[in-house]
Amino acid sequence: MWGRPDILWGLLALAIPVALHLLQLRRFKRIAFSNVAFLRDVQKETRSRHRLRNLLILLARLLAFGCLILGFADPMLTPESNVGEPGRNAVSIYIDTSPSMMAAGESAPLVQEAKGKGNALVESFAETDLFHVFTSGFQGQDQRFLTQPEALERIASIQLSSHSPGLEAVMERSLDQLARADAASKKAFWISDVQESSHEVEAMAMPDSTVSWHLLPVQANPSTNLWVDSVWFETPLALPNREAELHVRIGHDALDGVDGLPLQLRVDGVAEALGSFNVVPGMPTDTVLRFTHGAPGPHLVEVHIDDAPVSFDDVHHVGYNVSSGVKALHWSGIPLSERTTKSVQQAFESSNGLVEVDWVQSLPASPALMGYDLLVVHAIESPSRGSVSLVREFMSLGGTVMVLPDSMARGTSWVAEDATWVRGEGRVTDVQWSHPLFQPVFRSVPSRVDWPTYDRILNRRPRAQEEVLATAANGLPYLTRIPSKEGGDLYLLGTCLETGNFTRHGLFVPTLLRVAESARTRSALAQRLGDTEALTVPRQTGEQSDNGNLGRDNVWRIVGADDVQIVPEPRSTTRGTSLRWGDALTEPGGYTVLRNDSALAAFGLNHSPEESNLVVWDVEAWRERTASLRWPEVQIWTQPESQIRTLVEQHISGKRLAWYFFAAAMLALAFETLLLRRWNKLFS
């Protein structure tokens, strides 16, 4: 195998010394001389020695020039696996820069060891080879071939990133670039800590067999890591100046238990709560941080732990919104002057501004309806198909519906098919006090309760996923909750308000207010870096659809710490405004969404929890697993950086033989000098 086969054309120049040698040959002219006849034998012997000397000199010169030309052509001893492949290589090198690479190796952080191996790889190949260097950030500038000096410069500039792509995405990135090098031998290397979370080989497609794949693992020193896995609020609705409980789940890989580790909560950059947690081997830790909600509007929350030396996952960012209240729409078929309608209105109005309720006798259009949190459907005898469709759409977008049937049980077929009244007086016999709907109502479970009465109950069976919150004396459901897959809930009262004493009972107002408080979940907003899911900003109450003209009147921005500011791509949806930012946000942190300089929402970006789990593949386990999946052979080089050049020569480029040819050329020149200077003495 020749590194520079074009130089072999220089062997044609060997014809020049041969031609010169032939031109220097002389023909002897015979002259008769009577007294020197005895010298004839001496003359023949001298002529033979002269010819032998010239021939040896010619051979020495040809050997010297030939060895020099062959040496400059870069001869190599080709490994058997590369026989027949082109002499030029296209080398794709992936250097893992995911957050886990900040862990300490034997002599330096893993990312530094990976860069050292990357440098050694580039230097081990020929200058004429093509190099593709890329990192976990998948930057667009890395999708091109580099020269050897450019590749070394690119490796020197590599820094840790916040992205952690899977191995399948890394392979696809290499293949995409190597496909542009048709006339070269394709080699791919990935230098990584080989985390199990990012190297899930079972779910991957088989690697392309036209590429020679190589794995160069870098191993971290054994260490324990703790990370904030997730956070969530105890109550679905955050209200101003109300006490809040933030649940925190902490993941870890500790083998020993530890007590009293510190935990800190910051809201909008201000420390609001301190706590501690205990670590139990083999299971995550759940703890609670208590604080008080601030003013209405979006807020940013940071949960801190202290965990060295791996610290990229010690802060978890979330955003949430403090609501000024709940917006309810009371859709009733009975005039507002009637007793039952007035009772529903007064129940919501007794919340001291917590619930803002509007009364209508016909549903508004979809954009206006979607701005409410709760829809109370009261005594609607025969809802139209269009109205039922609007209600279903409202539920599918996370809204809550409460159905209060009319005394004739008409208009409930879309909720309870073929349900009819079972008449007969009775009382409620059981209430699920432990259910979240009733938990905050009473400090303790009442021992003696004057249960609500009724004179009719809907004859129906609960669905599989339906929760029975109160049961009538005849065993039929009195109040149920039907969860929706899309996020909204439906509460169905099994009796009517026109009869019985429910509107006058002490449970009536708390039930309606608790349904309102839990109407639309205000969960903490947190996304993972690299997620393609868009952030949806809900449409505000009364906000009308702009018919897709988002860019004409509204200017959307996302701002973060360190003067980070981007302009997202807004799209109008039935839920509100969907915002996408592609790869513009690359760092974890808290971000605020602005519309025309007004803050509408806040959210957090965090590393994937899987990246925090530092469990890595064992080399032998990796080899056995990939072999069982019938992968093409993946060469695994566990040797240190100093041996990479030898590995490349043995397995890829072959052993270089140029110096042997140069040495042979020097020996040939030395032999020629010996012939020129010592020939006569040797045969004198």
Side-chain angles (χ1 to χ4, degrees):
M1 180 176 175
W2 304 93
R4 303 184 66 180
D6 52 315
I7 295 181
L8 294 177
W9 288 100
L11 292 175
L12 297 177
L14 296 179
I16 297 176
V18 174
L20 293 175
H21 176 76
L22 294 176
L23 292 176
Q24 289 178 354
L25 293 178
R26 297 179 181 178
R27 292 185 179 181
F28 293 88
K29 185 178 181 181
R30 295 183 179 183
I31 301 175
F33 196 79
S34 59
N35 295 328
V36 292
F38 68 94
L39 298 175
R40 182 176 298 170
D41 295 335
V42 177
Q43 184 182 15
K44 289 181 179 180
E45 182 181 356
T46 302
R47 185 183 302 171
S48 298
R49 291 177 182 175
H50 185 72
R51 286 180 178 177
L52 177 61
R53 173 177 174 271
N54 291 340
L55 181 59
L56 291 176
I57 291 174
L58 174 63
L59 291 177
R61 289 173 177 173
L62 291 176
L63 180 61
F65 282 108
C67 287
L68 287 174
I69 294 171
L70 294 176
F72 282 113
D74 195 12
M76 290 175 286
L77 183 62
T78 309
E80 293 183 2
S81 60
N82 278 11
V83 172
E85 293 186 353
R88 195 180 195 190
N89 293 307
V91 184
S92 178
I93 301 175
Y94 166 70
I95 297 181
D96 190 351
T97 57
S98 62
S100 64
M101 292 290 286
M102 75 181 303
E106 293 184 1
S107 58
L110 294 185
V111 67
Q112 295 298 328
E113 293 186 6
K115 291 170 64 174
K117 289 191 174 184
N119 281 326
L121 272 177
V122 173
E123 292 173 348
S124 300
F125 285 89
E127 294 181 359
T128 55
D129 289 334
L130 300 174
F131 298 94
H132 170 225
V133 179
F134 68 107
T135 66
S136 303
F138 283 7
Q139 298 175 354
Q141 65 176 359
D142 289 336
Q143 281 305 93
R144 64 186 183 94
F145 283 115
L146 306 173
T147 63
Q148 191 178 62
E150 289 174 338
L152 294 173
E153 184 179 353
R154 176 67 184 98
I155 292 175
S157 66
I158 287 176
Q159 301 291 334
L160 281 172
S161 71
S162 301
H163 297 276
S164 52
L167 179 58
E168 187 170 16
V170 171
M171 287 186 171
E172 291 176 355
R173 196 83 171 180
S174 290
L175 286 174
D176 182 59
Q177 184 63 26
L178 291 175
R180 305 173 189 177
D182 297 331
S185 178
K186 301 172 182 178
K187 317 293 180 185
F189 301 83
W190 67 87
I191 310 173
S192 170
D193 56 358
V194 204
Q195 272 185 285
E196 288 188 358
S197 60
S198 58
H199 292 69
E200 299 177 356
V201 295
E202 290 84 356
M204 288 176 50
M206 188 175 296
D208 192 330
S209 59
T210 63
V211 176
S212 179
W213 300 97
H214 306 78
L215 170 62
L216 281 69
V218 288
Q219 297 181 344
N221 295 327
S223 62
T224 299
N225 188 35
L226 289 81
W227 63 92
V228 182
D229 183 86
S230 57
V231 302
W232 67 95
F233 284 103
E234 173 68 21
T235 57
L237 187 65
L239 298 172
N241 303 317
R242 295 285 186 93
E243 292 185 357
E245 293 184 355
L246 184 67
H247 291 253
V248 181
R249 174 161 294 176
I250 299 171
H252 62 88
D253 53 13
L255 300 178
D256 300 316
V258 182
D259 295 338
L261 296 175
L263 185 68
Q264 185 183 56
L265 171 69
R266 290 178 174 270
V267 179
D268 298 329
V270 179
E272 291 287 348
L274 295 174
S276 62
F277 64 95
N278 303 327
V279 170
V280 178
M283 60 185 299
T285 298
D286 288 345
T287 186
V288 177
L289 293 172
R290 294 175 173 84
F291 68 105
T292 302
H293 290 306
H299 297 272
L300 290 171
V301 172
E302 299 174 0
V303 179
H304 293 253
I305 62 174
D306 188 9
D307 175 34
V310 180
S311 58
F312 71 88
D313 48 11
D314 289 356
V315 182
H316 193 83
H317 304 270
V318 297
Y320 79 104
N321 190 67
V322 175
S323 301
S324 57
V326 180
K327 298 186 180 299
L329 182 65
H330 182 194
W331 177 31
S332 177
I334 300 177
L336 189 59
S337 58
E338 294 294 329
R339 178 182 62 84
T340 55
T341 305
K342 189 178 296 185
S343 298
V344 174
Q345 288 289 113
Q346 290 174 346
F348 288 128
E349 292 171 356
S350 67
S351 63
N352 296 324
L354 171 65
V355 181
E356 179 183 339
V357 58
D358 296 328
W359 175 82
V360 294
Q361 283 189 298
S362 60
L363 283 180
S366 176
L369 177 62
M370 302 311 156
Y372 289 94
D373 302 310
L374 173 66
L375 172 63
V376 179
V377 182
H378 172 216
I380 301 298
E381 295 185 358
S382 300
S384 65
R385 291 184 178 180
S387 297
V388 172
S389 178
L390 277 175
V391 174
R392 293 187 186 277
E393 181 186 6
F394 177 78
M395 289 181 58
S396 70
L397 298 179
T400 295
V401 176
M402 188 173 191
V403 178
L404 308 174
D406 68 299
S407 60
M408 301 302 292
R410 290 175 294 192
T412 58
S413 60
W414 64 279
V415 179
E417 296 181 0
D418 301 326
T420 57
W421 290 124
V422 175
R423 297 184 180 272
E425 294 186 356
R427 291 179 179 272
V428 172
T429 59
D430 184 40
V431 174
Q432 299 297 325
W433 301 111
S434 60
H435 192 274
L437 184 71
F438 293 117
Q439 269 186 341
V441 176
F442 300 101
R443 293 184 180 273
S444 60
V445 178
S447 58
R448 297 181 180 180
V449 181
D450 182 17
W451 301 107
T453 62
Y454 59 85
D455 70 348
R456 67 196 73 190
I457 287 288
L458 286 176
N459 185 14
R460 55 181 295 272
R461 288 187 177 182
R463 302 176 187 177
Q465 302 298 325
E466 191 170 353
E467 298 176 343
V468 178
L469 306 180
T471 307
N474 58 6
L476 294 175
Y478 183 84
L479 177 65
T480 63
R481 171 182 173 268
I482 306 174
S484 171
K485 294 180 180 179
E486 294 80 5
D489 295 331
L490 187 144
Y491 290 87
L492 175 60
L493 185 66
T495 188
C496 63
L497 299 182
E498 288 81 8
T499 62
N501 70 342
F502 187 45
T503 58
R504 302 184 301 276
H505 194 273
L507 200 60
F508 177 68
V509 173
T511 299
L512 263 63
L513 293 183
R514 285 296 299 150
V515 170
E517 288 183 9
S518 58
R520 195 183 300 264
T521 301
R522 299 298 201 278
S523 60
L525 293 178
Q527 291 183 296
R528 297 181 181 183
L529 283 166
D531 281 355
T532 58
E533 183 179 355
L535 175 72
T536 299
V537 179
R539 184 175 288 111
Q540 306 299 309
T541 303
E543 180 183 346
Q544 300 298 319
S545 174
D546 52 14
N547 297 320
N549 298 325
L550 286 165
R552 297 184 180 179
D553 301 323
N554 297 322
V555 177
W556 295 87
R557 290 184 298 139
I558 297 178
V559 298
D562 300 327
D563 297 327
V564 174
Q565 184 173 157
I566 68 166
V567 177
E569 177 188 355
R571 295 182 181 179
S572 180
T573 67
T574 53
R575 291 177 177 266
T577 302
S578 172
L579 302 177
R580 295 181 181 273
W581 52 83
D583 57 356
L585 297 178
T586 59
E587 295 299 326
Y591 295 89
T592 303
V593 178
L594 304 179
R595 185 183 66 180
N596 300 330
D597 296 329
S598 297
L600 291 187
F603 66 96
L605 281 182
N606 301 287
H607 296 288
S608 170
E610 289 79 9
E611 181 69 12
S612 300
N613 190 341
L614 302 182
V615 177
V616 299
W617 278 97
D618 177 74
V619 171
E620 290 303 322
W622 165 276
R623 186 177 283 112
E624 292 176 2
R625 184 65 57 84
T626 54
S628 66
L629 297 173
R630 298 182 180 180
W631 275 27
E633 182 183 3
V634 177
Q635 297 188 36
I636 303 177
W637 295 353
T638 58
Q639 291 82 347
E641 174 187 336
S642 59
Q643 299 183 24
I644 287 182
R645 178 180 290 276
T646 302
L647 291 170
V648 172
E649 290 181 353
Q650 291 177 351
H651 298 280
I652 299 176
S653 62
K655 186 176 182 180
R656 299 185 181 275
L657 307 175
W659 292 109
Y660 294 96
F661 284 89
F662 291 144
M666 297 300 295
L667 290 175
L669 292 175
F671 181 63
E672 178 192 8
T673 303
L674 180 65
L675 291 176
L676 291 174
R677 295 185 178 183
R678 300 294 181 179
W679 179 268
N680 292 332
K681 291 184 179 181
L682 290 174
F683 296 97
S684 59

